[in-house]
Amino acid sequence: MLNNYYLLKAIGPPENDPVAHGKPRIKEPSSYVLPERLPSTNIFLREAYASLEQAHLHQLRHHVDDEPYNDDVGEVGEAQDEEITVNPLETPIGTPSPSSSRFKTLSETLRNRRLSFPLGQSQQRQASPWKDPEPYEVLRAVERKDLIYLSEVRDRAFHLLLRKTGDVTPLLHAMRIGSSHRDVAIILVGALSRWVNNLDDDEVQKPRTKLLLKALRTNLKLAIDYGLQSSQSDLLASFLQTLIMSEGEKWVWNQVSNVGLALRSTPEEGKPVETAELAVRAFTTRELGKAAAIASLEDYIANATADLLMMAAWDVASQSVGGDPIPVYCFARDERVYSVFVSRTQEHKDAIFKSCTRRLRWQIKLLERALKGRNLTFRRKVEMLRAEMDTGSGP
């Protein structure tokens, strides 16, 4: 059979055959649906905790004089919040449970004590009397990629990793060899950065340590010039820490004075958080001079901003109640300034209540409460402080 419908349609419909004319149905446009997974329980808890802390900070301005000086921050050694606990049944697959604190502590201990070099033969070596090698032997170990030997030099004679032989240091020698020794250079940079972070407070003021810090600063700056910060995330922060610890004391005290003036100013004029942050950013820009480098330093900038605020608040308070200043070598080294700050304020809490202004007491309480614990990052804490100290009306 042939289908002649198209021929009949071309001739036209019969005159006596009515043609139905209906409205064409409008086709709904297609819309793509991409369901997105809800955030994990930990993210909800973190956001809820941040909102709760912001509400508590907002209430402090109304309760500054409720009691002589509420000791709600605990002892200095216990000034950290407890970890947020999550029901294991509600924790998404792949999310570590914070409740396993002992395993977390063990892993952190192992991470801190772990060498940055291949394991194996170095662990099996018998203990033998150590004699400092000659500088050329360290350079030869760099050329041969003898990481086991370099690990022993790092642990027993760290100063040899900074010593110049002719016009080169071990790190500069590894970088000059080229890409084949880039891994050796990265390992040496990691050793230098870790030494700064783990330096004991009582060692900082010694003349020998000052000389090591100056040599260390030169080596870290060379590593930055060679672009190793992309492979060593804490290189820039370690360089700035070394710069502050070696010759940055004058700059720190100048900024503490400026932030202190902002703390004393009226709420409409003084912006202490902005003053501190701009000072830190100007310092990092002057020393590094690269926008890309500054972008990777946000955590360090937030840490330094918070430390300037605490050092300035205590500097203003100590003019009325006495007490030693917060040491500069604690500056921008995690939570060391916070520990000293809480120790000072708790030791003089009665004198602070009697002698300091109501606004300064509120600022001290605000800093203690906002910077307490590790559930929030320094950047989040600084933003919370900015909302209260720079844009809020205060008590």
Side-chain angles (χ1 to χ4, degrees), residues 110-120 122-123 145-148 150-152 154-155 161 183-195 198 231-232 234:
L110 292 176
R111 190 186 307 115
N112 292 334
R113 299 186 62 178
R114 182 179 60 204
L115 296 178
S116 300
F117 308 93
L119 301 178
S122 62
Q123 294 179 339
K145 293 188 176 182
D146 191 349
L147 303 182
I148 298 175
L150 291 175
S151 69
E152 293 185 354
R154 180 201 65 180
D155 294 335
L161 297 181
D183 55 344
V184 179
I186 292 174
I187 289 173
L188 289 173
V189 169
L192 303 183
S193 300
R194 188 159 48 253
W195 183 83
N198 297 331
S231 303
Q232 194 72 27
D234 58 349

Short mmCIF file of all heavy atoms in Angstrom, two decimals, residues 110-120 122-123 145-148 150-152 154-155 161 183-195 198 231-232 234:
data_model
loop_
_atom_site.label_atom_id
_atom_site.label_comp_id
_atom_site.label_asym_id
_atom_site.label_seq_id
_atom_site.Cartn_x
_atom_site.Cartn_y
_atom_site.Cartn_z
N LEU A 110 53.66 12.00 65.80
CA LEU A 110 54.48 11.35 64.79
C LEU A 110 54.82 12.30 63.66
O LEU A 110 55.94 12.28 63.13
CB LEU A 110 53.74 10.13 64.24
CG LEU A 110 53.55 8.97 65.23
CD1 LEU A 110 52.71 7.87 64.59
CD2 LEU A 110 54.89 8.41 65.68
N ARG A 111 53.86 13.17 63.29
CA ARG A 111 54.10 14.12 62.21
C ARG A 111 55.17 15.12 62.60
O ARG A 111 56.00 15.52 61.78
CB ARG A 111 52.81 14.85 61.85
CG ARG A 111 52.93 15.67 60.60
CD ARG A 111 51.69 16.49 60.34
NE ARG A 111 50.50 15.67 60.36
CZ ARG A 111 49.53 15.79 61.26
NH1 ARG A 111 49.62 16.68 62.21
NH2 ARG A 111 48.47 15.02 61.22
N ASN A 112 55.14 15.56 63.85
CA ASN A 112 56.13 16.55 64.29
C ASN A 112 57.53 15.95 64.38
O ASN A 112 58.52 16.64 64.15
CB ASN A 112 55.73 17.13 65.64
CG ASN A 112 54.49 17.98 65.55
OD1 ASN A 112 54.19 18.53 64.50
ND2 ASN A 112 53.76 18.09 66.64
N ARG A 113 57.59 14.68 64.73
CA ARG A 113 58.89 14.07 64.93
C ARG A 113 59.40 13.34 63.69
O ARG A 113 60.54 12.88 63.66
CB ARG A 113 58.81 13.07 66.09
CG ARG A 113 58.42 13.71 67.40
CD ARG A 113 58.49 12.73 68.54
NE ARG A 113 59.85 12.24 68.73
CZ ARG A 113 60.20 11.39 69.69
NH1 ARG A 113 59.31 10.94 70.52
NH2 ARG A 113 61.44 10.97 69.79
N ARG A 114 58.56 13.26 62.68
CA ARG A 114 58.95 12.53 61.48
C ARG A 114 60.01 13.30 60.70
O ARG A 114 59.91 14.50 60.54
CB ARG A 114 57.72 12.32 60.61
CG ARG A 114 58.01 11.52 59.34
CD ARG A 114 56.73 11.35 58.57
NE ARG A 114 56.21 12.67 58.23
CZ ARG A 114 54.93 12.89 57.98
NH1 ARG A 114 54.06 11.93 58.08
NH2 ARG A 114 54.53 14.11 57.68
N LEU A 115 60.97 12.61 60.19
CA LEU A 115 61.98 13.25 59.36
C LEU A 115 61.42 13.49 57.98
O LEU A 115 60.52 12.81 57.51
CB LEU A 115 63.22 12.34 59.26
CG LEU A 115 63.97 12.06 60.57
CD1 LEU A 115 65.12 11.11 60.29
CD2 LEU A 115 64.49 13.34 61.18
N SER A 116 61.98 14.47 57.31
CA SER A 116 61.57 14.75 55.94
C SER A 116 62.38 13.95 54.94
O SER A 116 62.40 14.26 53.77
CB SER A 116 61.73 16.25 55.66
OG SER A 116 60.95 16.99 56.52
N PHE A 117 63.05 12.93 55.42
CA PHE A 117 63.93 12.16 54.57
C PHE A 117 63.48 10.72 54.53
O PHE A 117 62.74 10.27 55.39
CB PHE A 117 65.38 12.24 55.09
CG PHE A 117 65.83 13.63 55.32
CD1 PHE A 117 65.70 14.24 56.55
CD2 PHE A 117 66.37 14.36 54.28
CE1 PHE A 117 66.11 15.53 56.74
CE2 PHE A 117 66.78 15.67 54.48
CZ PHE A 117 66.65 16.24 55.70
N PRO A 118 63.90 9.94 53.53
CA PRO A 118 63.46 8.55 53.42
C PRO A 118 63.83 7.76 54.66
O PRO A 118 64.90 7.90 55.24
CB PRO A 118 64.22 8.04 52.18
CG PRO A 118 64.54 9.26 51.39
CD PRO A 118 64.74 10.36 52.40
N LEU A 119 62.91 6.92 55.08
CA LEU A 119 63.12 6.10 56.26
C LEU A 119 63.82 4.81 55.84
O LEU A 119 63.77 4.38 54.69
CB LEU A 119 61.79 5.80 56.94
CG LEU A 119 61.00 7.03 57.38
CD1 LEU A 119 59.67 6.60 57.99
CD2 LEU A 119 61.77 7.87 58.37
N GLY A 120 64.43 4.15 56.78
CA GLY A 120 65.03 2.86 56.48
C GLY A 120 66.39 2.75 57.11
O GLY A 120 66.51 2.49 58.31
N SER A 122 68.59 4.94 57.94
CA SER A 122 68.91 5.90 58.98
C SER A 122 68.40 5.44 60.33
O SER A 122 68.95 5.80 61.37
CB SER A 122 68.32 7.27 58.64
OG SER A 122 66.92 7.17 58.57
N GLN A 123 67.31 4.64 60.33
CA GLN A 123 66.77 4.17 61.60
C GLN A 123 67.55 2.97 62.12
O GLN A 123 67.44 2.62 63.29
CB GLN A 123 65.30 3.79 61.42
CG GLN A 123 64.42 4.97 61.09
CD GLN A 123 62.98 4.55 60.89
OE1 GLN A 123 62.69 3.39 60.62
NE2 GLN A 123 62.08 5.49 61.02
N LYS A 145 72.97 13.79 46.75
CA LYS A 145 71.60 13.56 47.25
C LYS A 145 71.61 12.58 48.42
O LYS A 145 70.73 11.72 48.53
CB LYS A 145 70.69 13.05 46.15
CG LYS A 145 70.41 14.04 45.04
CD LYS A 145 69.34 13.50 44.11
CE LYS A 145 68.97 14.53 43.07
NZ LYS A 145 67.89 14.04 42.17
N ASP A 146 72.58 12.72 49.28
CA ASP A 146 72.69 11.85 50.45
C ASP A 146 71.78 12.41 51.55
O ASP A 146 72.22 13.11 52.47
CB ASP A 146 74.14 11.78 50.93
CG ASP A 146 74.36 10.69 51.97
OD1 ASP A 146 73.35 10.14 52.46
OD2 ASP A 146 75.53 10.39 52.28
N LEU A 147 70.51 12.09 51.46
CA LEU A 147 69.54 12.66 52.38
C LEU A 147 69.69 12.13 53.79
O LEU A 147 69.36 12.81 54.77
CB LEU A 147 68.13 12.39 51.86
CG LEU A 147 67.84 12.89 50.44
CD1 LEU A 147 66.39 12.60 50.07
CD2 LEU A 147 68.14 14.37 50.32
N ILE A 148 70.17 10.91 53.92
CA ILE A 148 70.38 10.34 55.26
C ILE A 148 71.47 11.13 55.99
O ILE A 148 71.32 11.47 57.17
CB ILE A 148 70.76 8.85 55.14
CG1 ILE A 148 69.62 8.06 54.50
CG2 ILE A 148 71.09 8.28 56.51
CD1 ILE A 148 69.96 6.62 54.25
N LEU A 150 72.39 14.23 55.33
CA LEU A 150 71.88 15.58 55.59
C LEU A 150 70.92 15.60 56.77
O LEU A 150 70.86 16.58 57.51
CB LEU A 150 71.18 16.11 54.34
CG LEU A 150 72.09 16.43 53.14
CD1 LEU A 150 71.24 16.84 51.95
CD2 LEU A 150 73.06 17.55 53.50
N SER A 151 70.18 14.51 56.97
CA SER A 151 69.28 14.46 58.12
C SER A 151 70.06 14.46 59.43
O SER A 151 69.65 15.07 60.42
CB SER A 151 68.39 13.22 58.03
OG SER A 151 69.14 12.03 58.23
N GLU A 152 71.20 13.77 59.45
CA GLU A 152 72.03 13.77 60.65
C GLU A 152 72.64 15.15 60.89
O GLU A 152 72.74 15.61 62.04
CB GLU A 152 73.13 12.71 60.52
CG GLU A 152 72.61 11.28 60.51
CD GLU A 152 73.74 10.27 60.50
OE1 GLU A 152 74.91 10.69 60.38
OE2 GLU A 152 73.44 9.06 60.59
N ARG A 154 71.28 17.96 60.01
CA ARG A 154 70.18 18.80 60.50
C ARG A 154 69.94 18.61 61.99
O ARG A 154 69.71 19.57 62.73
CB ARG A 154 68.91 18.48 59.73
CG ARG A 154 67.71 19.30 60.15
CD ARG A 154 66.42 18.62 59.75
NE ARG A 154 66.26 17.36 60.46
CZ ARG A 154 65.22 16.55 60.31
NH1 ARG A 154 64.27 16.84 59.46
NH2 ARG A 154 65.16 15.42 60.99
N ASP A 155 69.98 17.36 62.45
CA ASP A 155 69.66 17.07 63.85
C ASP A 155 70.81 17.36 64.80
O ASP A 155 70.58 17.71 65.96
CB ASP A 155 69.24 15.60 63.99
CG ASP A 155 67.95 15.29 63.25
OD1 ASP A 155 67.15 16.24 63.06
OD2 ASP A 155 67.73 14.13 62.86
N LEU A 161 74.06 23.81 58.01
CA LEU A 161 73.17 24.00 56.88
C LEU A 161 73.06 25.47 56.48
O LEU A 161 72.52 25.79 55.42
CB LEU A 161 71.78 23.45 57.19
CG LEU A 161 71.69 21.95 57.46
CD1 LEU A 161 70.24 21.56 57.75
CD2 LEU A 161 72.24 21.15 56.28
N ASP A 183 64.38 18.56 44.62
CA ASP A 183 63.84 17.87 45.79
C ASP A 183 64.74 18.04 47.00
O ASP A 183 64.27 18.18 48.14
CB ASP A 183 63.63 16.39 45.48
CG ASP A 183 64.90 15.72 44.96
OD1 ASP A 183 65.83 16.46 44.56
OD2 ASP A 183 64.96 14.48 44.96
N VAL A 184 66.06 18.07 46.80
CA VAL A 184 67.00 18.31 47.91
C VAL A 184 66.81 19.72 48.46
O VAL A 184 66.80 19.93 49.69
CB VAL A 184 68.44 18.10 47.45
CG1 VAL A 184 69.42 18.36 48.60
CG2 VAL A 184 68.63 16.69 46.92
N ALA A 185 66.63 20.69 47.57
CA ALA A 185 66.42 22.08 48.02
C ALA A 185 65.13 22.20 48.82
O ALA A 185 65.10 22.88 49.85
CB ALA A 185 66.38 23.01 46.80
N ILE A 186 64.07 21.53 48.38
CA ILE A 186 62.79 21.60 49.10
C ILE A 186 62.92 20.98 50.49
O ILE A 186 62.39 21.51 51.47
CB ILE A 186 61.70 20.89 48.27
CG1 ILE A 186 61.41 21.69 47.00
CG2 ILE A 186 60.42 20.71 49.09
CD1 ILE A 186 60.46 21.01 46.05
N ILE A 187 63.66 19.88 50.58
CA ILE A 187 63.86 19.23 51.88
C ILE A 187 64.66 20.13 52.81
O ILE A 187 64.37 20.26 54.00
CB ILE A 187 64.55 17.87 51.68
CG1 ILE A 187 63.57 16.89 51.04
CG2 ILE A 187 65.06 17.31 53.00
CD1 ILE A 187 64.19 15.57 50.65
N LEU A 188 65.68 20.80 52.29
CA LEU A 188 66.47 21.71 53.12
C LEU A 188 65.62 22.89 53.59
O LEU A 188 65.72 23.32 54.75
CB LEU A 188 67.68 22.21 52.33
CG LEU A 188 68.78 21.17 52.07
CD1 LEU A 188 69.85 21.75 51.15
CD2 LEU A 188 69.40 20.71 53.38
N VAL A 189 64.78 23.43 52.71
CA VAL A 189 63.90 24.53 53.11
C VAL A 189 62.95 24.08 54.21
O VAL A 189 62.68 24.81 55.16
CB VAL A 189 63.12 25.05 51.88
CG1 VAL A 189 62.01 25.99 52.33
CG2 VAL A 189 64.06 25.77 50.93
N GLY A 190 62.41 22.86 54.09
CA GLY A 190 61.54 22.34 55.14
C GLY A 190 62.25 22.24 56.47
O GLY A 190 61.66 22.53 57.52
N ALA A 191 63.52 21.83 56.45
CA ALA A 191 64.28 21.75 57.69
C ALA A 191 64.49 23.13 58.31
O ALA A 191 64.38 23.31 59.53
CB ALA A 191 65.63 21.07 57.43
N LEU A 192 64.77 24.13 57.48
CA LEU A 192 64.96 25.49 57.98
C LEU A 192 63.66 26.05 58.57
O LEU A 192 63.67 26.67 59.64
CB LEU A 192 65.46 26.40 56.86
CG LEU A 192 66.76 25.99 56.15
CD1 LEU A 192 67.15 27.04 55.12
CD2 LEU A 192 67.88 25.75 57.14
N SER A 193 62.57 25.84 57.88
CA SER A 193 61.28 26.35 58.37
C SER A 193 60.89 25.70 59.69
O SER A 193 60.38 26.36 60.60
CB SER A 193 60.19 26.12 57.32
OG SER A 193 60.49 26.77 56.10
N ARG A 194 61.12 24.40 59.78
CA ARG A 194 60.74 23.71 61.00
C ARG A 194 61.57 24.16 62.19
O ARG A 194 61.10 24.21 63.32
CB ARG A 194 60.86 22.19 60.78
CG ARG A 194 60.31 21.35 61.90
CD ARG A 194 59.98 19.93 61.46
NE ARG A 194 61.07 19.34 60.70
CZ ARG A 194 61.02 19.14 59.38
NH1 ARG A 194 59.95 19.52 58.68
NH2 ARG A 194 62.04 18.58 58.74
N TRP A 195 62.83 24.48 61.94
CA TRP A 195 63.69 24.96 63.04
C TRP A 195 63.14 26.25 63.62
O TRP A 195 63.15 26.45 64.84
CB TRP A 195 65.11 25.15 62.52
CG TRP A 195 66.09 25.56 63.60
CD1 TRP A 195 66.73 24.74 64.47
CD2 TRP A 195 66.50 26.90 63.91
NE1 TRP A 195 67.53 25.49 65.31
CE2 TRP A 195 67.41 26.81 64.99
CE3 TRP A 195 66.20 28.14 63.39
CZ2 TRP A 195 68.02 27.93 65.54
CZ3 TRP A 195 66.81 29.26 63.93
CH2 TRP A 195 67.71 29.16 64.99
N ASN A 198 59.93 25.55 65.74
CA ASN A 198 60.16 24.79 66.97
C ASN A 198 61.20 25.42 67.89
O ASN A 198 61.60 24.80 68.88
CB ASN A 198 60.60 23.35 66.63
CG ASN A 198 59.52 22.60 65.88
OD1 ASN A 198 58.34 22.86 66.05
ND2 ASN A 198 59.93 21.65 65.06
N SER A 231 56.24 24.93 46.38
CA SER A 231 56.40 23.55 46.84
C SER A 231 56.49 23.45 48.35
O SER A 231 56.35 22.36 48.90
CB SER A 231 57.67 22.92 46.22
OG SER A 231 57.62 22.98 44.82
N GLN A 232 56.73 24.54 49.02
CA GLN A 232 56.85 24.55 50.49
C GLN A 232 55.89 25.60 51.01
O GLN A 232 56.18 26.80 51.00
CB GLN A 232 58.30 24.85 50.90
CG GLN A 232 58.60 24.56 52.35
CD GLN A 232 58.67 23.07 52.63
OE1 GLN A 232 58.97 22.29 51.74
NE2 GLN A 232 58.38 22.68 53.86
N ASP A 234 54.78 26.67 53.88
CA ASP A 234 55.05 27.54 55.02
C ASP A 234 56.35 28.33 54.86
O ASP A 234 56.85 28.91 55.83
CB ASP A 234 55.11 26.72 56.31
CG ASP A 234 56.16 25.62 56.26
OD1 ASP A 234 56.70 25.36 55.17
OD2 ASP A 234 56.45 25.02 57.32
#
